Amino acid sequence: MNQFKSGIFITAILTGILLLTFAVYVFPIPGTDSMVFMPTAVLYSKGLGLANPLYFVTKITDLTHTNRFNYYVPFFPFFLGLLGKIKPDVRTLFTICALFSCTNLLLYANVISSRLPKNINRYMKALVLLSITYMATYLLPTVGRPENFTCLFVFLVYIIHLNRKTLDKKVHFLAAALLFAFMLATQIICFYFCFLIYVLYDIIDSKNVWLTIGKNFVLFLVIGVVFCIVLALSPNGLVNTIEGIGLHIKFVMTRNDNSLSSLIYFWIMAPLNVGFIAVFLLASYFFGGEMMGKLATVDKQKKIFCTLIIAAIAIGLFKFVLYASPTVYNATEFILPLTAYTVLKIASITRQEKRRVLNAVALTTYCIGTLMLCRVTLLFTDTMISGKDYASAKKEVQQFIPKNKKVIATNGLWSLFDDDINNLTLLNLNSYKPGDTLILQETYLPFPLPVDTFTVVHDWRKNEPVNFLGITIAERPYGFGFIVCAIK
């Protein structure tokens, strides 16, 4: 068993090193959501305020028209930018994100290795090791969203819950208050779900329901005070941020990007969280069974309060997660406790037939996810061999930046312009005009310009699909290849 525990930590360390390597080379290309948060961190690290000239929502939420970052709680770009002052650079910021991911993997390895039963079979051992590499796809640092922080906060709350009987009560309260306050200042929906689940278990385990409710009410007040202090200390202040978030919420709730096909994609097929539906359903299965067992043995008061909390969680799931397919990230940020909870529950099952079925579902999911991580690694290798890496692209693109004019580029290339974000404009296919110079990425998007509307100034793409052992693993390369076009 000691050898297996060492294997768990070695797997976590090697996977963490892989994520750090990706971060240093800014790979994969920062996704579309990264431009919502990361440019703000870049500008703040350079002493240029907490602003984002790239995200169109600032036109709605910032009434001063200075692109202030007030459409979202600020802790992620604020703290990341503060740390990034060590060496203001995109690579520094993504490396910091990767360090958070590495911390998550090591904490996961510690929790699992310390709580697994002594005698487990080889299938269970494979399940544990593959769960680590599977989770790494959720922790890729260049996603560039607040979940990079909240994944850690959530898992630390899970850890203090696991150790609630041995932790000093004052230490437990203080740790919970700080973690929840930072969580609330980073991602509000994450706090909503995590706090409700925390209170649910606290009430179920309590000896005095009203005393527990009172304690958690005080905890909520302390969280609120610390949250307000964090917002007040942020560059845009408490009042301005609250007003901006209110305007953003009105805008967000008008989203209708939901359909059966998009739900299937984001919950099952998306490369960065492939098969998440299986993880979610397995955890829900164990959670439902655990709640039914616990509620059957508690008094009427506990049943009422717990039922109300479970109802609030269910309503939140439909209101904040399922209302738009891409918002699956409001659920995937719980991947660490969901996976740890599921793996430990499967390991504790005594009925062999039941364990085999659940083990097979989880093992298949983790295998597929691990293959996706292998795919990303192969695409990274292809990028480095082709020379279409971040550093080379940044050097190459400089010669095509128009002097004294705005640079127009597609979303995925924003990180190449971290030295002058304020002069970058992201491409809007409805607003470019003759004479404009456009810099278009080759990754993710099909070529967006109509034939005969442009002249190719420079083609720095790697056009062929990426193959491995004769199998096409990507239709387009995942590097920073681009093409420069002048509009006729």
Side-chain angles (χ1 to χ4, degrees):
M1 188 65 182
N2 288 333
Q3 286 183 334
F4 179 61
K5 286 184 177 180
S6 298
I8 293 174
F9 279 101
I10 290 170
T11 303
I13 291 168
L14 292 176
T15 306
I17 291 172
L18 182 63
L19 296 183
L20 275 169
T21 304
F22 288 164
V24 170
Y25 289 96
V26 193
F27 185 90
I29 287 180
T32 53
D33 273 1
S34 69
M35 64 87 178
V36 178
F37 304 97
M38 296 302 289
T40 304
V42 171
L43 289 174
Y44 189 70
S45 70
K46 295 175 182 290
L48 299 175
L50 206 67
N52 190 348
L54 300 185
Y55 191 35
F56 71 94
V57 170
T58 58
K59 307 298 185 294
I60 299 170
T61 62
D62 181 19
L63 302 180
T64 67
H65 306 296
T66 56
N67 301 314
R68 289 187 297 185
F69 182 95
N70 69 341
Y71 49 83
Y72 211 88
V73 280
F75 188 73
F76 175 64
F78 176 37
F79 188 63
L80 185 59
L82 195 63
L83 295 175
K85 288 181 180 292
I86 300 168
K87 188 179 184 300
D89 179 86
V90 160
R91 284 165 289 198
T92 301
L93 298 180
F94 283 125
T95 300
I96 294 169
C97 289
L99 290 173
F100 272 79
S101 299
C102 293
T103 303
N104 281 326
L105 292 173
L106 290 173
L107 286 173
Y108 176 83
N110 183 62
V111 168
I112 293 296
S113 63
S114 63
R115 293 180 176 273
L116 276 175
K118 290 185 178 180
N119 297 315
I120 55 174
N121 59 34
R122 63 181 181 274
Y123 297 108
M124 195 67 221
K125 289 179 180 178
L127 182 72
V128 171
L129 296 178
L130 287 170
S131 71
I132 297 172
T133 49
Y134 171 75
M135 282 191 304
T137 60
Y138 293 79
L139 302 175
L140 287 172
T142 56
V143 171
R145 283 191 51 86
E147 289 76 39
N148 187 262
F149 280 15
T150 56
C151 278
L152 178 59
F153 298 154
V154 165
F155 199 53
L156 287 172
V157 170
Y158 176 72
I159 289 171
I160 64 171
H161 168 73
L162 291 178
N163 295 281
R164 63 193 181 281
K165 293 181 180 179
T166 56
L167 274 178
D168 178 82
K169 290 184 179 180
K170 292 180 180 178
V171 172
H172 185 281
F173 183 90
L174 179 62
L178 291 175
L179 285 170
F180 277 125
F182 291 138
M183 188 187 300
L184 181 58
T186 305
Q187 220 264 36
I188 294 173
I189 303 303
C190 179
F191 169 79
Y192 174 87
F193 287 116
C194 195
F195 188 73
L196 285 176
I197 295 170
Y198 175 88
V199 174
L200 174 65
Y201 276 97
D202 207 20
I203 289 176
I204 286 178
D205 295 337
S206 69
K207 295 179 180 179
N208 185 319
V209 175
W210 290 106
L211 183 63
T212 301
I213 291 173
K215 181 189 73 175
N216 282 291
F217 180 72
V218 173
L219 175 62
F220 184 78
L221 291 178
V222 173
I223 292 166
V225 170
V226 178
F227 168 75
C228 289
I229 291 172
V230 172
L231 264 60
L233 291 175
S234 67
N236 295 326
L238 174 63
V239 175
N240 179 262
T241 302
I242 295 297
E243 289 175 348
I245 291 171
L247 292 171
H248 192 199
I249 288 173
K250 290 179 182 178
F251 170 76
V252 167
M253 288 307 174
T254 63
R255 294 180 69 161
N256 60 358
D257 46 342
N258 211 349
S259 64
L260 180 59
S261 60
S262 62
L263 279 171
I264 290 172
Y265 175 76
F266 283 103
W267 282 76
I268 301 175
M269 307 298 293
L272 299 185
N273 55 285
V274 64
F276 178 70
I277 187 68
V279 176
F280 184 79
L281 290 178
L282 281 171
S284 299
Y285 168 76
F286 286 119
F287 176 76
E290 182 183 0
M291 287 299 109
M292 288 177 64
K294 287 180 179 291
L295 292 177
T297 62
V298 300
D299 58 41
K300 187 176 180 180
Q301 277 187 338
K302 283 188 179 182
K303 283 182 181 177
I304 292 172
F305 283 117
C306 290
T307 301
L308 289 173
I309 293 172
I310 292 171
I313 294 170
I315 291 169
L317 180 64
F318 285 96
K319 184 75 174 175
F320 306 128
V321 180
L322 297 175
Y323 80 103
S325 303
T327 54
V328 67
Y329 51 71
N330 285 327
T332 59
E333 62 191 326
F334 290 86
I335 187 64
L336 284 132
L338 286 177
T339 305
Y341 179 73
T342 301
V343 168
L344 293 175
K345 284 290 186 182
I346 292 175
S348 66
I349 295 173
T350 54
R351 287 176 53 195
Q352 291 298 317
E353 290 183 5
K354 184 178 180 182
R355 177 191 278 186
R356 285 195 194 100
V357 172
L358 295 174
N359 198 313
V361 173
L363 192 57
T364 301
T365 304
Y366 299 156
C367 279
I368 295 171
T370 299
L371 287 174
M372 295 307 295
L373 182 64
C374 292
R375 175 179 178 268
V376 173
T377 305
L378 290 171
L379 291 169
F380 171 72
T381 305
D382 176 74
T383 296
M384 299 309 294
I385 292 172
S386 70
K388 299 298 189 285
D389 58 283
Y390 175 81
S392 299
K394 189 171 181 180
K395 183 178 178 181
E396 186 78 16
V397 81
Q398 294 301 313
Q399 58 187 306
F400 300 102
I401 297 176
K403 293 181 179 179
N404 303 317
K405 291 177 66 176
K406 285 277 188 179
V407 178
I408 302 175
T410 42
N411 287 5
L413 297 179
W414 74 262
S415 58
L416 296 178
F417 304 91
D418 63 327
D419 294 325
D420 197 14
I421 288 175
N422 284 315
N423 283 324
L424 173 66
T425 298
L426 297 181
L427 176 64
N428 182 332
L429 292 175
N430 297 316
S431 65
Y432 65 84
K433 60 186 184 301
D436 283 344
T437 299
L438 310 185
I439 304 174
L440 312 174
Q441 68 197 68
E442 69 172 321
T443 304
Y444 305 135
L445 298 173
F447 195 76
L449 301 181
V451 179
D452 298 328
T453 62
F454 62 92
T455 301
V456 175
V457 177
H458 183 60
D459 194 339
W460 200 68
R461 294 177 295 175
K462 179 179 179 292
N463 292 317
E464 64 274 12
V466 182
N467 296 315
F468 179 70
L469 299 179
I471 301 172
T472 299
I473 60 174
E475 291 298 327
R476 281 178 291 278
Y478 268 37
F480 278 87
F482 61 83
I483 183 171
V484 182
C485 299
I487 302 301
K488 294 180 180 179

